[in-house]
Amino acid sequence: MLYLLLMFLNEVLSASRESLQLRMPGVIIPHNDTYYHMSSSEVHSRTYITGYRAEAHSDTVHHMLVYGCKSIKQRDNHWIGGFPCTEGTKILWSWALDAPEFLMPSNVSMEIGNGYIRYIVIELHYKLQQPETYRDTSGVDIFITSTPTPYLAGIFLFVAERGEFPPGKKNLRIDLSCNFTSPTINVFAYRTHAHNFGTMISGYINHNGTWSDIGSRDPRLPETFTRDRDGDGDTAG
């Protein structure tokens, strides 16, 4: 699985950051592979996300996803199982294996509160049951600003859902591709993810017959977005 962080031109300027903190309210983990969701209050005005920092540990939380939702079914701010959204589901960020915080380039952000993303929902996967006395308060700090940035970011997700593993075969490769015909975009970060057998995931672009390397990473390493090595420091262009 390969997540690509993409940016689109948005002709405005940037500013300082605040943080939106979402924390599980001391939930119990009743069984293996427990999933919890927690929602923010409705975002009424345009707000711009500039980074993420997980407040969680991999010995308890297997992975965390941050979703943007147009609507949600639950009226309580947290619930066990089910789905994050009832309409307009968008993945905004993901985390696993004690990865560090991720900050956008200073001229890039993700827009929420625009009618399409009205709620932020976090999904936490707890791999193992915890003692009855344990109460979990894991969550995420989402860095935000009310001032737009010159570029807006979004995620493009590649997933290889099926693959055959012949007995005894080593160095097996699974390929997937798509024909991208939308307006011009720039990739400034990527994240890899695999289960059990994946050891390296690589991404490439073929433009007019010329192949370019987006990036490669071992999915067994701490899972967060890796800034494109061709980037130019604190800005993306």
Side-chain angles (χ1 to χ4, degrees):
M1 184 182 296
L2 180 66
Y3 298 78
L4 300 180
L5 260 175
L6 314 172
M7 65 182 184
F8 310 84
L9 184 60
N10 180 44
E11 307 268 354
V12 282
L13 302 174
S14 64
S16 61
R17 75 181 187 185
E18 304 173 12
S19 67
L20 169 64
Q21 297 181 342
L22 293 175
R23 298 287 189 277
M24 287 294 164
V27 296
I28 62 172
I29 315 302
H31 50 73
N32 292 348
D33 291 319
T34 295
Y35 284 82
Y36 272 102
H37 295 93
M38 182 176 183
S39 171
S40 70
S41 57
E42 184 172 356
V43 183
H44 293 284
S45 59
R46 290 179 187 267
T47 303
Y48 302 88
I49 296 173
T50 60
Y52 302 87
R53 180 176 62 222
E55 293 295 334
H57 299 283
S58 62
D59 56 353
T60 304
V61 179
H62 177 265
H63 73 261
M64 183 189 315
L65 287 167
V66 177
Y67 292 93
C69 303
K70 186 173 183 179
S71 63
I72 58 175
K73 182 178 181 180
Q74 305 293 333
R75 294 307 173 194
D76 297 330
N77 75 331
H78 72 281
W79 60 95
I80 190 168
F83 298 96
C85 314
T86 55
E87 184 181 5
T89 306
K90 294 182 181 296
I91 296 176
L92 301 181
W93 184 69
S94 54
W95 170 93
L97 300 175
D98 294 323
E101 72 176 20
F102 177 79
L103 300 178
M104 307 277 185
S106 60
N107 58 348
V108 178
S109 67
M110 291 180 165
E111 185 182 64
I112 61 175
N114 52 13
Y116 297 100
I117 298 178
R118 297 167 54 198
Y119 300 90
I120 299 296
V121 175
I122 59 173
E123 176 185 276
L124 277 71
H125 173 206
Y126 299 90
K127 187 69 174 177
L128 300 176
Q129 178 183 2
Q130 298 296 323
E132 291 183 3
T133 55
Y134 178 79
R135 297 293 184 270
D136 189 72
T137 57
S138 300
V140 64
D141 291 342
I142 302 175
F143 303 123
I144 58 175
T145 178
S146 59
T147 304
T149 53
Y151 294 92
L152 293 178
I155 288 180
F156 198 88
L157 178 62
F158 288 87
V159 181
E161 294 184 335
R162 292 183 175 87
E164 296 183 359
F165 293 78
K169 183 174 177 59
K170 296 182 178 180
N171 300 320
L172 182 69
R173 189 180 74 187
I174 299 176
D175 295 324
L176 67 153
S177 64
C178 72
N179 184 23
F180 189 84
T181 58
S182 296
T184 300
I185 58 175
N186 295 283
V187 178
F188 70 89
Y190 60 91
R191 176 187 184 268
T192 60
H193 177 74
H195 289 183
N196 297 333
F197 301 114
T199 59
M200 184 61 64
I201 298 176
S202 302
Y204 304 89
I205 294 175
N206 184 336
H207 183 63
N208 294 330
T210 300
W211 288 92
S212 300
D213 179 17
I214 295 173
S216 300
R217 187 171 172 84
D218 185 339
R220 296 168 296 182
L221 296 174
E223 293 187 19
T224 189
F225 284 96
T226 301
R227 293 276 284 273
D228 184 2
R229 58 177 171 266
D230 293 329
D232 56 353
D234 190 42
T235 62

